[in-house]
Amino acid sequence: QVHLVESGGGLVQAGDSLRLSCAASGGTFSSTAMGWFRQAPGKEREFVAGNIWPAGNTYYADSVKGRFTISRDNAENTMYLRMNSLKLEDTAVYYCAEKKYGSSWYVEDSYYNWGQGTQVTVSS
């Protein structure tokens, strides 16, 4: 089974930008639909953004709409999350995962093959 590996997290200031990557290690993505989730300390993991290929449809949580952009490069077996205008409340561990066909974009149970996560910390 292909492993998903997230990278690109770090410590930034409010208002800064980051680009997260989710690479397929050992193969290619098995699903045409994938998503990003995040989990802040003491909170449940929540949906951030989703993307389906090759149609290109995208889905976003209201809290990140207009600031985050999800994209995918199938030739590179990599999915990205561009995060602009970062806020303190964006601090979390960010995970990528593949989505089951026909399932809801917004619930954790719709996804499988989770990566290990990458920490994003936004400071004031």
Side-chain angles (χ1 to χ4, degrees):
Q1 183 180 2
V2 64
H3 294 286
L4 302 185
V5 181
E6 301 96 335
S7 62
L11 173 62
V12 297
Q13 291 189 321
D16 285 351
S17 298
L18 273 178
R19 189 181 76 162
L20 305 184
S21 299
C22 171
S25 174
T28 60
F29 297 129
S30 62
S31 175
T32 59
M34 297 187 64
W36 286 96
F37 276 68
R38 67 186 181 186
Q39 187 168 23
K43 295 188 177 182
E44 293 185 352
R45 193 149 53 179
E46 64 175 3
F47 172 80
V48 175
N51 165 280
I52 187 163
W53 184 89
N57 297 43
T58 56
Y59 306 84
Y60 296 97
D62 287 343
S63 58
V64 307
K65 206 170 290 184
R67 299 189 297 123
F68 290 11
T69 303
I70 187 172
S71 62
R72 176 167 167 172
D73 185 337
N74 251 44
E76 297 294 327
N77 292 316
T78 304
M79 181 176 68
Y80 301 98
L81 184 68
R82 176 70 179 180
M83 307 186 295
N84 294 330
S85 303
L86 282 162
K87 303 177 180 180
L88 297 179
E89 53 264 41
D90 294 320
T91 295
V93 178
Y94 284 72
Y95 301 89
C96 63
E98 298 181 282
K99 192 176 87 67
K100 302 170 190 174
Y101 177 79
S103 61
S104 168
W105 285 96
Y106 305 101
V107 298
E108 189 175 345
D109 285 347
S110 295
Y111 294 81
Y112 63 98
N113 197 22
W114 294 83
Q116 84 290 346
T118 185
Q119 175 72 48
V120 173
T121 303
V122 184
S123 65
S124 59

